[in-house]
């Protein structure tokens, strides 16, 4: 079956003339026909454009990923295609340009199948905050797929595409990857251009990808990453061919286990899965040591000051004047603003906008925003200290597997606490992954691996080595085989 | 009671860059609406700002020219408010760490006295777009062409004490930024915008009064009028038992008055924070030294040099150096006139400050639009200097140049036959003719009324159509008359 | 709005439960969290409950953010934002003396762009997705100045 193949196999088989890009695209569009509505994973399908693109690639193939179908999170601007960020605010927004990520992948020869559902403006950990409705977890349709890149994760898990893009601000790639049993990587902040990626929290947002394996992620990330002069925070640094760094050998690598990530809160079932995964890493020759990251407990409060502050500012441009939603018959300018924004943004987005405006407002700035910038440095310092001793950090991604849809929908704080293990790496800007490591009650559990800044190659190789010895990443949800 | 005014000026200086401060869209004035606003300027979702190097260089030049500190590390911050011509819902500006701080400008107050006005800070920011209220009956139109144009906001200390000082400060600053080539100085197009913070207090009081901010002043004359009006108004209000309200006021050039701008102004809470899309700007010593090497000669230094090199009076040197274009015109004129700067400077200064200035003033032209080029004027001065023509004829030639009647002074002199007569034989016959035709005046001279020689010389000049060299005529006339005695 | 405390002290919005004991029932109580103190009323005998954010505060930030909310939404957001602030208040436990604020994950400085203008504005494409334009201008309800 086409969707069983790895990215390298697909590219090779097509190069060998076993089948065409059009065949690959058709096969995946069939799967989308069958499964996409069940999962509500896509906001927009681009079938016709995909077929046309595949045919064009067959006529004149170039690029390392020529003919590879891909799904983009609907946060990446796609020229001429609706780019909604899962918000009513942008329900009518046809982007007039491509995000750099979209451009780079296009240049590598990918075929865009559609735009993935997500939490509105990437704010959420369950994909319940979408104007287009909740995404379902393919492993159990009553459960959330995680968020905010839930549509991307669910699509890859269900075999609707070999790969999908995502963004991670506080865990939005790693957590849904864990919940859906796929491999996901959030690179170092600055590694992937943010141009054309609709901003949530500028100092935290980082584009990445989902695929079935670390090896597949390596191929996609090599094409996505790199310096972009249109993004001031993009780093001028060569991107290695990550696939060539997959030696499959981690003997001698020192892996740190932060005590704070294994303390109270981590559910027993998940703990067993993670422990087993770590034992597997040891068996592969890694040295495992316990480490301390004493400021981990500050991550949630730090994040929920900084991210909303930046979001409240970034979302000020959605005012109903130049594009996007405008309320009906505004009586005056004030009415236009207040109604367009109240009607255009969902409740979670409104909460964060107000939270952000509050922590930045006169008299509160020092106590909240400035304080959080200082605690952020303490958290980043933990990583500096840790990476002086270890090559890699291993930890759980979440305290427990996916939860039922609706369970935490009315309790923002419970939802926020869900991100406790993914926030620190986001605040520090280091690269992190979620690697499928087992199941609890039929729901996937992810192992989180974190590497020093710009060591994506080391990170992917560790995950790849683990996946060479295990088969968790090859499992398919029942009904989506 | 005696009152004194306390004035501080905030000047927005538009930087003369090719592209905008954070986007590559062009900055040209007067384009079709929204044709110079790219995705960054329109604040499309997902687009990002990238800092223009030229903006940093220009701000550094400015900082050096006002003897200020250039921040080794400065930070852009977001200033939030909602307005339709502010597309992002925030303006990228600088707040805690501006690029330039602690500078000063010396202004001339009265004859020869100078006063130092402190400049608290000068920070970089982006301009907003324009709201057009008169295009549609029931709608306001938004043109974002200006959005993202680079500005330096230069904030003075409240050390200015009168409307005249304020105008002198603004003129000096205007002269400086045009000298530096960082601003085109066009006040009508808004390239140099002055807001005046004005308060009054009893003379000798240490406390400041409540201040108002007057906006929309687009000429130095209006600035002076607006501040004069505002000082008077504030004194009237206080002496009438009233209180000054801290507010923004608008100057109306037609009435010469200021009026309150907003009735229901909301309290602002700008929620400044460092822009996470931009990294801190680092300026190292090498960058500063490179900028210093590019600094042109500034007005003060140039005026001193003009006095020394061209033998000009302090007043003339100051007038010529007030604008870089005038100063350049002057130097080019002298260079075209000849090698002797000390000798030619004074006549060149006179021609420019009186005749040329008169023409420009009459026709409403700027020096850049002068109908007579520096080369043409220099050529004219050279012909006076070498006695080819007299001063009087020179005026005729100048008028002909203004009227475009010839390519050069020489061409006009040639075409009109204006060359001075220095041939003594020719002069002698004119002199003899005058003596023969005016016996009464000759007799008066012989009777001791020697002043009458002027009349006789005048007759010669008339007869020669002004071309006889008046000095030679005078000399020969006196010799001949004395010989008759 | 009053400011909360600085590095060492802390202030907490509290409501005194003693009816009619103060001009304003809701006020800030300062206390030192690091010393393990809890906020108390100016009269320590009075019972207090802590509030993080009042409906008024929500009204103010909603106004700043131009979100037109009805009273029901304001009350609900006040409760939710208060509980979020309770989590955020944990920041107070951190000793951040002599810690530089971190505004960016990578300690880099700005890369500057050459001053080259590119005339690439496609007004038609931009305005095709605008809610209301005419004569090349974006339109909003008339602003009276």
């Amino acid at each position: 079956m086409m969707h069983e193949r790895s990215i390298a196999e697909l590219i090779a088989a097509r190069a060998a003339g076993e089948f065409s890009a059009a065949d690959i695209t058709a096969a995946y569009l069939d799967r989308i026909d069958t499964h996409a509505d069940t999962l509500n994973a896509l906001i927009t399908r681009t079938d016709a454009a995909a077929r046309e693109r595949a045919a064009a690639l067959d006529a004149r193939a170039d690029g390392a990923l020529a003919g590879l179908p891909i799904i983009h999170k609907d946060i990446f601007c796609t020229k001429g295609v609706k780019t909604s960020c899962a918000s009513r605010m942008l329900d009518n927004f046809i982007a007039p340009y491509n995000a750099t990520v979209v451009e780079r992948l296009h240049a590598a020869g990918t075929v865009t199948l559609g735009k993935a559902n997500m939490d509105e403006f990437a704010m959420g950990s369950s994909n319940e905050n979408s104007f287009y409705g909740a995404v379902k977890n393919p492993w159990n349709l009553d459960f959330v797929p995680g968020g905010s890149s839930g549509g991307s994760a669910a699509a890859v898990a269900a075999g609707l595409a070999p790969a999908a893009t995502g963004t991670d601000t506080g865990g939005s790639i790693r957590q849904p990857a864990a919940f859906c049993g796929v491999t996901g990587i959030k690179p170092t902040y600055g590694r992937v251009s943010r141009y054309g990626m609709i901003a949530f929290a500028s100092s935290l947002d980082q584009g990445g990808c989902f695929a079935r394996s670390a090896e597949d992620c390596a191929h996609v990330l090599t094409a996505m990453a790199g310096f972009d002069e249109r993004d001031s925070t993009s780093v001028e640094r060569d991107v290695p061919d990550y696939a060539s760094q997959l030696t499959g050998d981690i003997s001698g690598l020192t892996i740190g286990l932060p005590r704070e990530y294994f303390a109270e809160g981590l559910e027993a079932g998940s703990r067993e899965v993670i422990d087993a995964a770590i034992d597997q890493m040891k068996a592969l020759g890694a040295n495992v040591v316990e480490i301390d990251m004493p400021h981990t407990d500050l991550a949630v409060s730090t994040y929920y000051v900084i991210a909303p502050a930046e979001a409240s500012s970034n979302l000020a441009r959605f005012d109903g004047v130049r594009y996007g939603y405008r309320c009906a018959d505004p009586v005056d300018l004030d009415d236009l603003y207040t109604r367009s924004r109240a009607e255009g943004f969902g409740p979670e987005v409104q909460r964060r906008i107000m939270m952000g405006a509050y922590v930045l407002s006169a008299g509160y700035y020092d106590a909240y925003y400035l304080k959080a910038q200082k605690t952020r440095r303490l958290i980043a310092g933990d990583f500096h200290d840790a990476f002086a001793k270890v090559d890699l950090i291993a930890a759980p991604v979440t305290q427990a597997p996916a939860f039922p849809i609706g369970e935490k929908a009315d309790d923002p704080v419970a939802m926020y606490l869900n991100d406790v293990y993914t926030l620190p790496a986001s605040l520090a800007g280091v690269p992190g992954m979620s690697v499928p490591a087992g199941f609890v009650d039929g729901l996937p559990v992810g192992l989180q691996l974190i590497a020093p800044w710009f060591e994506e190659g080391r990170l992917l190789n560790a995950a790849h080595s683990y996946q060479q010895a295990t088969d968790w990443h090859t499992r398919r949800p029942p009904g989506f085989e | 009671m005696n009152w004194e005014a306390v004035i501080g000026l905030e000047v927005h200086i538009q930087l003369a860059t090719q592209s905008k401060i954070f986007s590559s869209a062009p900055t040209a004035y007067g384009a079709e609406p929204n044709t110079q606003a790219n995705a960054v300027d329109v604040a499309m979702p997902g687009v990002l700002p990238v800092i223009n190097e030229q903006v940093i260089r220009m701000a550094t030049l400015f900082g050096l020219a006002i003897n200020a500190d250039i921040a080794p590390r400065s930070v852009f911050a977001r200033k939030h408010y909602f307005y339709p011509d502010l597309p992002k819902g925030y303006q990228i500006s600088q707040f805690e760490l501006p690029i330039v701080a602690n500078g000063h400008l010396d202004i001339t107050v009265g004859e020869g006295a100078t006063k130092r006005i402190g400049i608290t800070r000068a920070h970089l920011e982006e301009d907003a777009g324009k709201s057009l209220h008169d295009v549609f009956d029931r709608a306001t139109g938004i043109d974002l062409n200006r959005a993202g144009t680079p500005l330096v906001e230069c904030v003075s200390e409240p050390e200015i004490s009168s409307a005249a000082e304020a105008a002198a400060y603004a003129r000096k600053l205007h002269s400086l930024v045009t000298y530096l080539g960082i601003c085109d100085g066009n006040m009508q197009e808004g390239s140099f915008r002055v807001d005046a913070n004005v308060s009054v207090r009893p003379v000798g009081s240490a406390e400041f009064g409540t201040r108002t901010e007057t906006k929309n002043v687009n000429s130095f004359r209006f600035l002076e009028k607006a501040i004069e009006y505002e000082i008077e108004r504030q004194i009237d209000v206080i002496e009438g038992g009233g209180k000054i309200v801290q507010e923004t006021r608008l100057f109306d050039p037609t009435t010469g008055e200021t009026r309150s701008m907003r009735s229901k102004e909301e309290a602002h809470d700008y929620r400044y924070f460092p822009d996470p899309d931009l990294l801190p700007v680092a300026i190292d010593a090498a960058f500063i030294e490179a900028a210093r090497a590019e600094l042109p000669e500034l007005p003060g230094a140039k005026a001193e040099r003009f006095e020394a090199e061209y033998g000009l009076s302090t007043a003339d040197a100051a007038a010529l150096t007030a604008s870089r274009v005038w100063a350049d015109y002057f130097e080019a004129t002298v260079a075209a006139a000849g090698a002797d700067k000390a000798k030619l400077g004074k006549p060149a200064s006179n021609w420019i400050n009186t005749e040329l200035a008169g023409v420009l003033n009459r026709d409403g032209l700027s020096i850049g639009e002068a109908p007579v080029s520096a080369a043409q004027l220099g050529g004219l001065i050279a012909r006076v200097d070498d006695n080819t023509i007299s001063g009087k004829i020179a005026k005729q030639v100048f008028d002909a140049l203004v009227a475009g009647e010839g390519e050069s002074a020489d061409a006009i002199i040639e075409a009109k036959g204006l060359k001075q007569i220095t041939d003594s034989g020719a002069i002698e016959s004119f002199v003899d003719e005058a003596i023969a035709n005016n016996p009464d005046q000759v007799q008066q001279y012989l009777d001791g009324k020697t002043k009458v020689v002027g009349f006789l010389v005048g007759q010669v000049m008339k007869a020669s159509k002004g071309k006889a060299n008046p000095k030679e005529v005078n000399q020969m006339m006196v010799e001949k008359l004395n010989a008759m005695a | 709005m009053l400011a909360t405390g600085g590095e060492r002290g802390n202030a907490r919005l509290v409501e005194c439960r003693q009816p009619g004991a103060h001009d304003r029932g809701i006020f800030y109580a300062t206390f030192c969290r690091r010393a393990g103190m809890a906020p108390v009323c100016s009269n320590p005998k009075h019972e207090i409950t802590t509030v993080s954010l009042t409906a008024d505060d929500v009204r103010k930030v909603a106004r700043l953010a131009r979100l037109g909310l009805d009273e029901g939404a304001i009350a609900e957001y006040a409760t939710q934002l208060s509980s979020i602030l309770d989590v955020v208040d944990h920041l107070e436990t951190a000793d951040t003396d002599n810690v530089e604020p971190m505004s960016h994950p990578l300690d880099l400085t700005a890369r500057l762009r050459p001053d080259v203008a590119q005339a690439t504005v496609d007004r038609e494409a931009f305005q095709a997705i605008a809610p209301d334009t005419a004569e090349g201008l974006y339109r909003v309800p008339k602003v009276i100045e």
Side-chain angles (χ1 to χ4, degrees), chain A residues 88-89 318-321 325-328 330 334-345, chain C residues 66-68:
Chain A
R88 184 185 191 189
M89 186 58 89
F318 302 105
D319 58 4
V321 175
Y325 180 77
R326 177 183 283 199
C327 66
D334 208 57
D335 189 39
L336 186 157
Y337 282 149
T338 54
R339 241 170 357 105
S340 296
R341 289 170 61 80
E343 294 167 10
F345 292 134
Chain C
R66 296 296 184 274
L67 290 168

mmCIF file of all heavy atoms in Angstrom, chain A residues 88-89 318-321 325-328 330 334-345, chain C residues 66-68:
data_model
loop_
_atom_site.group_PDB
_atom_site.id
_atom_site.type_symbol
_atom_site.label_atom_id
_atom_site.label_comp_id
_atom_site.label_asym_id
_atom_site.label_seq_id
_atom_site.Cartn_x
_atom_site.Cartn_y
_atom_site.Cartn_z
ATOM 1 N N ARG A 88 -12.854 32.377 12.761
ATOM 2 C CA ARG A 88 -13.868 33.077 11.983
ATOM 3 C C ARG A 88 -13.268 34.372 11.424
ATOM 4 O O ARG A 88 -13.631 34.832 10.348
ATOM 5 C CB ARG A 88 -15.062 33.412 12.888
ATOM 6 C CG ARG A 88 -16.194 34.063 12.135
ATOM 7 C CD ARG A 88 -17.309 34.487 13.092
ATOM 8 N NE ARG A 88 -18.506 34.870 12.344
ATOM 9 C CZ ARG A 88 -19.561 35.448 12.894
ATOM 10 N NH1 ARG A 88 -19.584 35.697 14.196
ATOM 11 N NH2 ARG A 88 -20.594 35.779 12.155
ATOM 12 N N MET A 89 -12.317 34.942 12.186
ATOM 13 C CA MET A 89 -11.676 36.182 11.777
ATOM 14 C C MET A 89 -11.054 36.071 10.380
ATOM 15 O O MET A 89 -11.032 37.036 9.636
ATOM 16 C CB MET A 89 -10.601 36.536 12.823
ATOM 17 C CG MET A 89 -9.927 37.863 12.631
ATOM 18 S SD MET A 89 -11.072 39.269 12.622
ATOM 19 C CE MET A 89 -11.146 39.712 14.355
ATOM 20 N N PHE A 318 -5.868 42.321 13.558
ATOM 21 C CA PHE A 318 -7.147 41.799 13.054
ATOM 22 C C PHE A 318 -8.257 42.731 13.540
ATOM 23 O O PHE A 318 -8.819 42.554 14.605
ATOM 24 C CB PHE A 318 -7.340 40.353 13.523
ATOM 25 C CG PHE A 318 -6.220 39.451 13.074
ATOM 26 C CD1 PHE A 318 -5.252 39.016 13.962
ATOM 27 C CD2 PHE A 318 -6.109 39.087 11.744
ATOM 28 C CE1 PHE A 318 -4.202 38.218 13.544
ATOM 29 C CE2 PHE A 318 -5.057 38.290 11.307
ATOM 30 C CZ PHE A 318 -4.102 37.858 12.209
ATOM 31 N N ASP A 319 -8.495 43.752 12.735
ATOM 32 C CA ASP A 319 -9.385 44.826 13.171
ATOM 33 C C ASP A 319 -10.550 45.069 12.211
ATOM 34 O O ASP A 319 -11.297 46.019 12.356
ATOM 35 C CB ASP A 319 -8.582 46.118 13.352
ATOM 36 C CG ASP A 319 -7.855 46.549 12.076
ATOM 37 O OD1 ASP A 319 -8.039 45.876 11.037
ATOM 38 O OD2 ASP A 319 -7.104 47.540 12.126
ATOM 39 N N GLY A 320 -10.679 44.205 11.197
ATOM 40 C CA GLY A 320 -11.806 44.360 10.272
ATOM 41 C C GLY A 320 -11.651 45.500 9.277
ATOM 42 O O GLY A 320 -12.619 45.889 8.638
ATOM 43 N N VAL A 321 -10.437 46.037 9.147
ATOM 44 C CA VAL A 321 -10.243 47.167 8.233
ATOM 45 C C VAL A 321 -9.718 46.729 6.867
ATOM 46 O O VAL A 321 -10.252 47.126 5.836
ATOM 47 C CB VAL A 321 -9.301 48.228 8.854
ATOM 48 C CG1 VAL A 321 -9.012 49.350 7.849
ATOM 49 C CG2 VAL A 321 -9.919 48.802 10.121
ATOM 50 N N TYR A 325 -12.553 39.240 8.884
ATOM 51 C CA TYR A 325 -13.944 39.440 9.282
ATOM 52 C C TYR A 325 -14.250 40.895 9.639
ATOM 53 O O TYR A 325 -13.489 41.530 10.364
ATOM 54 C CB TYR A 325 -14.266 38.538 10.486
ATOM 55 C CG TYR A 325 -15.689 38.677 10.979
ATOM 56 C CD1 TYR A 325 -16.737 38.077 10.294
ATOM 57 C CD2 TYR A 325 -15.968 39.426 12.123
ATOM 58 C CE1 TYR A 325 -18.046 38.218 10.738
ATOM 59 C CE2 TYR A 325 -17.273 39.565 12.576
ATOM 60 C CZ TYR A 325 -18.305 38.963 11.876
ATOM 61 O OH TYR A 325 -19.592 39.115 12.313
ATOM 62 N N ARG A 326 -15.360 41.390 9.099
ATOM 63 C CA ARG A 326 -15.887 42.686 9.545
ATOM 64 C C ARG A 326 -17.348 42.470 9.921
ATOM 65 O O ARG A 326 -18.122 41.870 9.173
ATOM 66 C CB ARG A 326 -15.782 43.736 8.445
ATOM 67 C CG ARG A 326 -16.400 45.078 8.859
ATOM 68 C CD ARG A 326 -16.375 46.120 7.742
ATOM 69 N NE ARG A 326 -15.051 46.688 7.588
ATOM 70 C CZ ARG A 326 -14.819 47.863 6.967
ATOM 71 N NH1 ARG A 326 -15.829 48.562 6.453
ATOM 72 N NH2 ARG A 326 -13.599 48.317 6.836
ATOM 73 N N CYS A 327 -17.746 42.987 11.081
ATOM 74 C CA CYS A 327 -19.118 42.813 11.542
ATOM 75 C C CYS A 327 -20.085 43.477 10.568
ATOM 76 O O CYS A 327 -19.701 44.373 9.811
ATOM 77 C CB CYS A 327 -19.286 43.391 12.950
ATOM 78 S SG CYS A 327 -19.094 45.180 13.006
ATOM 79 N N ALA A 328 -21.337 43.056 10.623
ATOM 80 C CA ALA A 328 -22.336 43.625 9.714
ATOM 81 C C ALA A 328 -22.701 45.042 10.152
ATOM 82 O O ALA A 328 -22.858 45.315 11.348
ATOM 83 C CB ALA A 328 -23.578 42.736 9.710
ATOM 84 N N PRO A 330 -21.469 48.229 10.702
ATOM 85 C CA PRO A 330 -20.935 48.972 11.852
ATOM 86 C C PRO A 330 -21.449 50.417 11.835
ATOM 87 O O PRO A 330 -21.468 51.044 10.771
ATOM 88 C CB PRO A 330 -19.418 48.935 11.621
ATOM 89 C CG PRO A 330 -19.234 48.652 10.171
ATOM 90 C CD PRO A 330 -20.411 47.832 9.747
ATOM 91 N N ASP A 334 -15.684 52.626 16.269
ATOM 92 C CA ASP A 334 -15.569 51.874 17.503
ATOM 93 C C ASP A 334 -16.392 50.594 17.441
ATOM 94 O O ASP A 334 -15.956 49.525 17.862
ATOM 95 C CB ASP A 334 -16.057 52.763 18.649
ATOM 96 C CG ASP A 334 -15.386 52.398 19.933
ATOM 97 O OD1 ASP A 334 -14.142 52.438 19.955
ATOM 98 O OD2 ASP A 334 -16.099 52.035 20.883
ATOM 99 N N ASP A 335 -17.583 50.718 16.892
ATOM 100 C CA ASP A 335 -18.471 49.579 16.719
ATOM 101 C C ASP A 335 -17.820 48.557 15.782
ATOM 102 O O ASP A 335 -17.857 47.351 16.043
ATOM 103 C CB ASP A 335 -19.800 50.090 16.138
ATOM 104 C CG ASP A 335 -20.870 49.009 16.115
ATOM 105 O OD1 ASP A 335 -20.932 48.225 17.081
ATOM 106 O OD2 ASP A 335 -21.637 48.958 15.134
ATOM 107 N N LEU A 336 -17.193 49.065 14.727
ATOM 108 C CA LEU A 336 -16.515 48.181 13.786
ATOM 109 C C LEU A 336 -15.439 47.356 14.511
ATOM 110 O O LEU A 336 -15.371 46.133 14.380
ATOM 111 C CB LEU A 336 -15.874 48.997 12.657
ATOM 112 C CG LEU A 336 -15.239 48.226 11.495
ATOM 113 C CD1 LEU A 336 -15.182 49.113 10.255
ATOM 114 C CD2 LEU A 336 -13.826 47.762 11.806
ATOM 115 N N TYR A 337 -14.625 48.036 15.294
ATOM 116 C CA TYR A 337 -13.551 47.346 16.021
ATOM 117 C C TYR A 337 -14.102 46.335 17.021
ATOM 118 O O TYR A 337 -13.757 45.161 17.016
ATOM 119 C CB TYR A 337 -12.711 48.352 16.809
ATOM 120 C CG TYR A 337 -11.696 49.146 16.016
ATOM 121 C CD1 TYR A 337 -11.359 50.442 16.409
ATOM 122 C CD2 TYR A 337 -11.044 48.609 14.914
ATOM 123 C CE1 TYR A 337 -10.412 51.187 15.717
ATOM 124 C CE2 TYR A 337 -10.094 49.346 14.219
ATOM 125 C CZ TYR A 337 -9.777 50.631 14.623
ATOM 126 O OH TYR A 337 -8.847 51.348 13.947
ATOM 127 N N THR A 338 -14.935 46.825 17.923
ATOM 128 C CA THR A 338 -15.308 46.009 19.081
ATOM 129 C C THR A 338 -16.186 44.824 18.681
ATOM 130 O O THR A 338 -16.043 43.744 19.240
ATOM 131 C CB THR A 338 -16.021 46.849 20.150
ATOM 132 O OG1 THR A 338 -17.129 47.523 19.555
ATOM 133 C CG2 THR A 338 -15.083 47.889 20.731
ATOM 134 N N ARG A 339 -17.046 45.036 17.674
ATOM 135 C CA ARG A 339 -17.889 43.924 17.265
ATOM 136 C C ARG A 339 -17.151 42.948 16.353
ATOM 137 O O ARG A 339 -17.285 41.742 16.491
ATOM 138 C CB ARG A 339 -19.166 44.445 16.597
ATOM 139 C CG ARG A 339 -20.377 44.019 17.369
ATOM 140 C CD ARG A 339 -21.715 44.602 17.035
ATOM 141 N NE ARG A 339 -21.831 45.605 16.023
ATOM 142 C CZ ARG A 339 -22.329 45.374 14.803
ATOM 143 N NH1 ARG A 339 -22.707 44.169 14.444
ATOM 144 N NH2 ARG A 339 -22.444 46.366 13.946
ATOM 145 N N SER A 340 -16.340 43.489 15.430
ATOM 146 C CA SER A 340 -15.594 42.581 14.548
ATOM 147 C C SER A 340 -14.705 41.666 15.382
ATOM 148 O O SER A 340 -14.608 40.465 15.124
ATOM 149 C CB SER A 340 -14.727 43.375 13.573
ATOM 150 O OG SER A 340 -15.523 44.155 12.719
ATOM 151 N N ARG A 341 -14.062 42.226 16.399
ATOM 152 C CA ARG A 341 -13.131 41.428 17.194
ATOM 153 C C ARG A 341 -13.860 40.492 18.161
ATOM 154 O O ARG A 341 -13.421 39.358 18.379
ATOM 155 C CB ARG A 341 -12.132 42.342 17.914
ATOM 156 C CG ARG A 341 -11.125 42.959 16.923
ATOM 157 C CD ARG A 341 -10.269 44.059 17.533
ATOM 158 N NE ARG A 341 -9.441 43.646 18.655
ATOM 159 C CZ ARG A 341 -8.277 43.017 18.558
ATOM 160 N NH1 ARG A 341 -7.792 42.712 17.369
ATOM 161 N NH2 ARG A 341 -7.609 42.688 19.640
ATOM 162 N N ALA A 342 -14.977 40.951 18.727
ATOM 163 C CA ALA A 342 -15.722 40.080 19.645
ATOM 164 C C ALA A 342 -16.381 38.938 18.872
ATOM 165 O O ALA A 342 -16.461 37.812 19.354
ATOM 166 C CB ALA A 342 -16.757 40.892 20.409
ATOM 167 N N GLU A 343 -16.844 39.225 17.659
ATOM 168 C CA GLU A 343 -17.517 38.187 16.866
ATOM 169 C C GLU A 343 -16.513 37.316 16.105
ATOM 170 O O GLU A 343 -16.780 36.153 15.840
ATOM 171 C CB GLU A 343 -18.484 38.847 15.864
ATOM 172 C CG GLU A 343 -19.650 39.561 16.528
ATOM 173 C CD GLU A 343 -20.426 40.462 15.558
ATOM 174 O OE1 GLU A 343 -20.187 40.386 14.342
ATOM 175 O OE2 GLU A 343 -21.272 41.249 16.041
ATOM 176 N N GLY A 344 -15.367 37.897 15.776
ATOM 177 C CA GLY A 344 -14.387 37.179 14.954
ATOM 178 C C GLY A 344 -13.499 36.227 15.726
ATOM 179 O O GLY A 344 -13.026 35.232 15.180
ATOM 180 N N PHE A 345 -13.229 36.529 16.993
ATOM 181 C CA PHE A 345 -12.350 35.682 17.816
ATOM 182 C C PHE A 345 -13.178 34.776 18.720
ATOM 183 O O PHE A 345 -14.160 35.229 19.321
ATOM 184 C CB PHE A 345 -11.454 36.534 18.724
ATOM 185 C CG PHE A 345 -10.409 37.345 18.004
ATOM 186 C CD1 PHE A 345 -10.211 38.690 18.333
ATOM 187 C CD2 PHE A 345 -9.584 36.772 17.034
ATOM 188 C CE1 PHE A 345 -9.229 39.444 17.699
ATOM 189 C CE2 PHE A 345 -8.603 37.521 16.403
ATOM 190 C CZ PHE A 345 -8.430 38.865 16.729
ATOM 191 N N ARG C 66 -10.210 46.317 22.407
ATOM 192 C CA ARG C 66 -11.346 46.526 21.497
ATOM 193 C C ARG C 66 -12.139 45.232 21.295
ATOM 194 O O ARG C 66 -12.413 44.803 20.179
ATOM 195 C CB ARG C 66 -10.879 47.065 20.136
ATOM 196 C CG ARG C 66 -10.240 48.446 20.187
ATOM 197 C CD ARG C 66 -11.230 49.514 20.629
ATOM 198 N NE ARG C 66 -10.643 50.856 20.577
ATOM 199 C CZ ARG C 66 -9.935 51.416 21.567
ATOM 200 N NH1 ARG C 66 -9.714 50.749 22.699
ATOM 201 N NH2 ARG C 66 -9.447 52.638 21.430
ATOM 202 N N LEU C 67 -12.494 44.620 22.430
ATOM 203 C CA LEU C 67 -13.380 43.455 22.391
ATOM 204 C C LEU C 67 -14.705 43.888 23.005
ATOM 205 O O LEU C 67 -14.736 44.272 24.181
ATOM 206 C CB LEU C 67 -12.790 42.296 23.196
ATOM 207 C CG LEU C 67 -11.541 41.605 22.631
ATOM 208 C CD1 LEU C 67 -10.915 40.689 23.682
ATOM 209 C CD2 LEU C 67 -11.899 40.807 21.381
ATOM 210 N N GLY C 68 -15.760 43.869 22.225
ATOM 211 C CA GLY C 68 -17.059 44.280 22.735
ATOM 212 C C GLY C 68 -17.742 43.110 23.429
ATOM 213 O O GLY C 68 -18.206 42.192 22.781
#
